[in-house]
Amino acid sequence: MDHVAAPTTAPEIETLTDRREALEDIGQNCSTNPTMGDIINHRFSRRSFMAGSLAVAAISTTVSPLAILTADDARANGNLSSFDFTEIEAGVDETHHVAEGYDADILLRWGDKLFADSPDFDPLNQTAAAQEKLFGYNNDYVGFIPLDGNPDHGLLVVNHEYTNAEIMFPKFASVVKEMKDGKEEEKVKLGEYTKDLVDIEMAAHGGTIVEIRKVDGKWQPVLDGKYNRRITVKTEMQLSGPVAGHERVKTPSDPTGKQVFGTINNCAGGVTAWGTYVMAEENFNGYFGGEIAEDHPEFKQLKRLGAPGGTYEWSKFYDRFDVSKEPAEANRFGWIVEVDVMDPTSIPKKRTALGRFKHEGAESVVNKDGRVVFYCGDDERFDYVYKFVTKGTFNPNDRAANMDILDEGTLYVAKFDADGTIEWMPLIHGEGPLTEANGFGSQADVLINTRLASDALGATKMDRPEDIQPNAMTGKVYVMLTNNTKRKADQVDNANPRAENAFGHIVEITETDGDFASTKSKWDVLLKCGDPSVAEVGASFSTATTKNGWFGMPDNCAIDADGRLWVATDGNNEKDTGRTDGIWAVDTEGEARGTSKLFFRVPVGAEMCGPSFNPTSDTFFVAVQHPGDAGLATFETPATRWPDFKDDMPVRPAVVAITKQGGGKIG
């Protein structure tokens, strides 16, 4: 997730988050493929709930009856929700909140020790060597892999998506005053990057694998755990699958085209049925600088990916991140990375068969025929939904037999039709337009140029597809579509008011006969998000949803042991929604379908990431990312000092372990 919210009129600033937002807000898809808004418009033309388009700046105070609905009202109305926790109040303040009867304990925060010989965290004297032995920055995906089948003892795997230099490094950013349009405005200005600072950033990226166990009802890391490991931008990795060894991934430092160092911008991810950790490389384009000529053979596909983005300054110190010097290096990022957590010396593998784009995550399910199906969203406005079906089948009795199952299979992209069906179109070289005459000389070309190949197939443009979760119990799949404020009014008509879609929606896919490998599926809209009390928004939460239960900008999600859906958000804030991001429990079945309840919320400036359950769903691991990143925040003056609330400690991203007081399942 790239922390892109609805447009704001806050003072202009030049923080890393703003630079990333500006880059990812463009939308690189110039194809004529239909948008998801077009498809929804055709399908739901008889369900029109507003004439005209939504102008975010003009949202009024038009009130529906839902605006005054309380939790007691919802219960009195016969709410048959499958969730029985007491909902918390939505709002914005400096700390986190969880439902009554639950504990939310800080498990790991940026700078915490991971090994017996880890140094103490010293935020005023950071080094790359120290950071390599400490918990990384901006925790995103969180997964749990039990050890010996024990739900109270296992490996926590965590992605570290990116760094916020302005609130991470002392004396690096400052608040300055500038004149703009005749008015004096304050802004945050970043300092000058050095190689030492960049090396710390590189060490704070990647992932963490750490043994944890529950002791006296509370989770804690095991610092001498034999599986503990940090993965960074400098970790040796292998390219595997159809792209490995291809000319387009060979570089001066790697003439084999099979060895690559590091992984970047790891957003959501997954855990496989055979107990490996899957990391998704998302907005890798921002790490590359330099310029590439329009007549260069890589120009078109790099432009389609928004590269070079120049969000970071790494190219000033490392030639491999400068496309003018090593253009093939960018082709070695944007993949799904698989890590064998049971061997801390193993070399992670970039599984190229799953395609190259801005992977939000890679959640999987074992199909009834034994094949494994992965779902992936390409997190950018107007981009696509994918699934990958392995050629081989999962062997539950032989872990080693599954270790390279991701190198062979078929990658599909989705075409959503107005009749409520989905056609999963295979991205296979030589089929349809994916031929040498159209620039696809091999399967490697198709996979390196996944976006261009999907454009050629006519895939449906979506409103920022993020996390996609299959529900093995129901045969359904949930697609989080965060928002798309770039969809223009002339792309919709009176039956489709979601132009400038600031709040996003959730699509529910029903796989045919529970066959996740099916090439034909059905789809429906589970929720149109936003404030139901504002008629112009057209949100579709059930009438049993309280004023605290609605949300905008769905991002990540999780399915618990009972098959229930939990949604994490990215982009709610005091100005646009009057609430922080958080975790909402969403009913998907029966009379309560479309009912949502607020379970946990983050401190000011933060994004809600994770989330993940242990196998028995009596622990809920959630990640609080970039807390304090609001307004004119710097290292010295963050919007909050969560979670330590100490003057000598900066604001710190952290993983939180939620448990029920007295034990029992969450929810």
Side-chain angles (χ1 to χ4, degrees):
M1 54 222 75
D2 50 22
H3 194 48
V4 179
T8 176
T9 56
E12 180 185 358
I13 56 179
E14 293 181 352
T15 63
L16 179 62
T17 295
D18 287 305
R19 291 162 69 179
R20 294 176 74 247
E21 286 182 2
L23 177 64
E24 301 311 321
D25 197 42
I26 297 171
Q28 308 294 335
N29 191 346
C30 297
S31 75
T32 58
N33 298 352
T35 67
M36 190 57 181
D38 299 330
I39 307 302
I40 292 175
N41 171 33
H42 287 299
R43 182 164 188 216
F44 297 103
S45 60
R46 295 182 180 179
R47 305 184 193 179
S48 174
F49 46 77
M50 189 195 93
S53 64
L54 168 65
V56 175
I59 290 178
S60 70
T61 56
T62 305
V63 178
S64 75
L66 185 57
I68 57 173
L69 187 68
T70 67
D72 288 339
D73 292 331
R75 285 189 288 271
N77 288 346
N79 180 15
L80 301 177
S81 173
S82 60
F83 303 96
D84 63 5
F85 64 87
T86 301
E87 186 175 44
I88 63 173
E89 292 285 329
V92 180
D93 61 34
E94 65 180 3
T95 193
H96 67 268
H97 299 267
V98 69
E100 182 181 355
Y102 292 85
D103 292 326
D105 301 311
I106 306 300
L107 176 57
L108 284 165
R109 74 205 99 187
W110 167 49
D112 277 356
K113 295 183 179 183
L114 296 172
F115 308 94
D117 63 348
S118 293
D120 291 331
F121 178 52
D122 186 350
L124 299 180
N125 297 284
Q126 299 176 48
T127 67
Q131 181 62 77
E132 288 175 352
K133 289 181 172 289
L134 302 172
F135 193 64
Y137 204 80
N138 270 345
N139 32 232
D140 196 299
Y141 173 76
V142 179
F144 180 80
I145 302 173
L147 290 174
D148 300 321
N150 187 348
D152 293 338
H153 179 209
L155 300 179
L156 194 74
V157 296
V158 183
N159 284 352
H160 300 293
E161 185 183 6
Y162 70 101
T163 48
N164 284 86
E166 68 276 10
I167 54 178
M168 182 178 178
F169 298 117
K171 300 180 180 179
F172 179 71
S174 58
V175 178
V176 299
K177 294 182 179 180
E178 290 187 357
M179 296 298 295
K180 184 176 181 180
D181 298 329
K183 296 181 180 180
E184 186 177 73
E185 292 185 354
E186 289 185 321
K187 61 187 293 187
V188 171
K189 188 172 183 63
L190 299 181
E192 291 294 324
Y193 280 85
T194 65
K195 184 177 182 298
D196 287 343
L197 188 149
V198 166
D199 285 343
I200 297 168
E201 286 189 317
M202 288 181 167
H205 277 68
T208 290
I209 301 166
V210 60
E211 183 178 345
I212 61 172
R213 69 165 68 242
K214 192 183 286 186
V215 178
D216 297 328
K218 299 294 183 181
W219 289 90
Q220 61 186 38
V222 180
L223 298 187
D224 59 355
K226 64 181 180 179
Y227 303 115
N228 293 4
R229 182 179 187 181
R230 274 300 321 280
I231 293 170
T232 74
V233 179
K234 297 185 178 182
T235 300
E236 181 183 359
M237 300 189 172
Q238 289 182 354
L239 289 169
S240 71
V243 175
H246 193 273
E247 289 297 320
R248 294 178 63 191
V249 292
K250 292 180 179 179
T251 66
S253 61
D254 173 32
T256 70
K258 294 182 179 180
Q259 181 191 54
V260 61
F261 287 92
T263 181
I264 49 180
N265 209 262
N266 302 103
C267 198
V271 169
T272 67
W274 50 99
T276 57
Y277 164 33
V278 172
M279 309 170 73
E281 295 181 328
E282 193 192 33
N283 295 308
F284 66 93
N285 56 310
Y287 296 83
F288 290 88
E291 296 182 0
I292 189 167
E294 290 190 21
D295 60 355
H296 193 284
E298 300 294 347
F299 176 82
K300 183 178 179 181
Q301 65 90 8
L302 288 177
K303 181 180 180 181
R304 181 67 175 82
L305 287 158
T311 308
Y312 288 80
E313 306 293 333
W314 296 4
S315 62
K316 292 183 179 180
F317 307 99
Y318 292 93
D319 286 352
R320 68 184 179 119
F321 289 106
D322 187 333
V323 296
S324 65
K325 297 176 180 178
E326 296 189 21
E329 184 70 11
N331 292 346
R332 294 143 67 87
F333 292 89
W335 305 105
I336 293 296
V337 184
E338 185 178 19
V339 185
D340 182 1
V341 298
M342 304 309 294
D343 180 2
T345 66
S346 64
I347 298 176
K349 295 183 178 181
K350 297 197 177 188
R351 303 294 190 181
T352 63
L354 278 79
R356 175 172 169 265
F357 46 89
K358 296 180 181 180
H359 288 273
E360 169 68 19
E363 297 289 356
S364 60
V365 62
V366 177
N367 199 37
K368 57 187 179 181
D369 62 4
R371 289 182 294 170
V372 185
V373 182
F374 283 75
Y375 292 88
C376 299
D378 187 350
D379 184 7
E380 192 165 304
R381 289 161 176 80
F382 302 115
D383 262 294
Y384 306 129
V385 167
Y386 297 85
K387 75 175 173 182
F388 174 79
V389 182
T390 62
K391 178 180 179 181
T393 57
F394 168 62
N395 187 334
N397 302 312
D398 185 357
R399 183 174 187 267
N402 305 306
M403 296 308 291
D404 290 317
I405 196 174
L406 298 187
D407 281 343
E408 291 187 272
T410 303
L411 180 66
Y412 298 88
V413 67
K415 182 178 181 180
F416 290 76
D417 291 321
D419 63 358
T421 62
I422 299 173
E423 177 186 359
W424 293 100
M425 302 179 294
L427 289 113
I428 298 176
H429 174 250
E431 293 191 7
L434 306 183
T435 63
E436 187 168 6
N438 291 323
F440 304 100
S442 66
Q443 185 63 18
D445 288 329
V446 171
L447 295 169
I448 293 171
N449 301 346
T450 299
R451 280 189 171 182
L452 294 176
S454 299
D455 292 346
L457 289 176
T460 304
K461 295 179 178 181
M462 308 292 282
D463 285 355
R464 279 190 65 200
E466 300 224 31
D467 203 7
I468 305 177
Q469 278 278 354
N471 187 335
M473 300 176 66
T474 64
K476 295 182 178 180
V477 183
Y478 294 94
V479 183
M480 303 296 113
L481 297 163
T482 294
N483 59 20
N484 186 354
T485 56
K486 296 300 182 181
R487 185 191 295 166
K488 299 183 183 302
D490 61 7
Q491 294 177 296
V492 298
D493 59 25
N494 291 348
N496 180 18
R498 306 287 282 202
E500 300 182 24
N501 179 13
F503 304 107
H505 54 288
I506 300 174
V507 166
E508 179 184 70
I509 297 172
T510 301
E511 294 289 20
T512 305
D513 298 324
D515 179 8
F516 290 96
S518 173
T519 58
K520 286 286 187 180
S521 309
K522 295 180 179 180
W523 70 273
D524 205 344
V525 175
L526 173 66
L527 283 177
K528 299 182 186 76
C529 302
D531 185 352
S533 72
V534 181
E536 287 86 349
V537 171
S540 62
F541 293 92
S542 82
T543 56
T545 302
T546 76
K547 63 181 181 180
N548 300 304
W550 66 266
F551 57 84
M553 303 79 159
D555 191 323
N556 293 131
C557 61
I559 304 293
D560 65 18
D562 293 323
R564 301 178 301 177
L565 178 65
W566 301 75
V567 174
T569 63
D570 170 20
N572 294 268
N573 56 59
E574 187 169 14
K575 177 186 180 298
D576 294 311
T577 61
R579 58 196 60 203
T580 63
D581 287 319
I583 298 282
W584 278 264
V586 179
D587 281 289
T588 61
E589 306 292 338
E591 294 182 31
R593 180 177 168 86
T595 302
S596 175
K597 296 174 64 177
L598 179 55
F599 178 73
F600 178 89
R601 65 179 170 94
V602 299
V604 61
E607 171 186 342
M608 188 79 262
C609 299
S612 180
F613 291 92
N614 70 334
T616 48
S617 289
D618 56 15
T619 299
F620 200 9
F621 300 105
V622 300
V624 177
Q625 190 184 86
H626 58 76
D629 180 22
L632 300 172
T634 67
F635 178 92
E636 288 76 21
T637 58
T640 175
R641 288 196 180 274
W642 185 91
D644 301 304
F645 295 103
K646 295 179 179 179
D647 291 340
D648 61 346
M649 278 292 166
V651 60
R652 301 164 76 182
V655 172
V656 177
I658 302 174
T659 53
K660 193 173 186 177
Q661 295 168 2
K665 286 184 179 180
I666 305 296

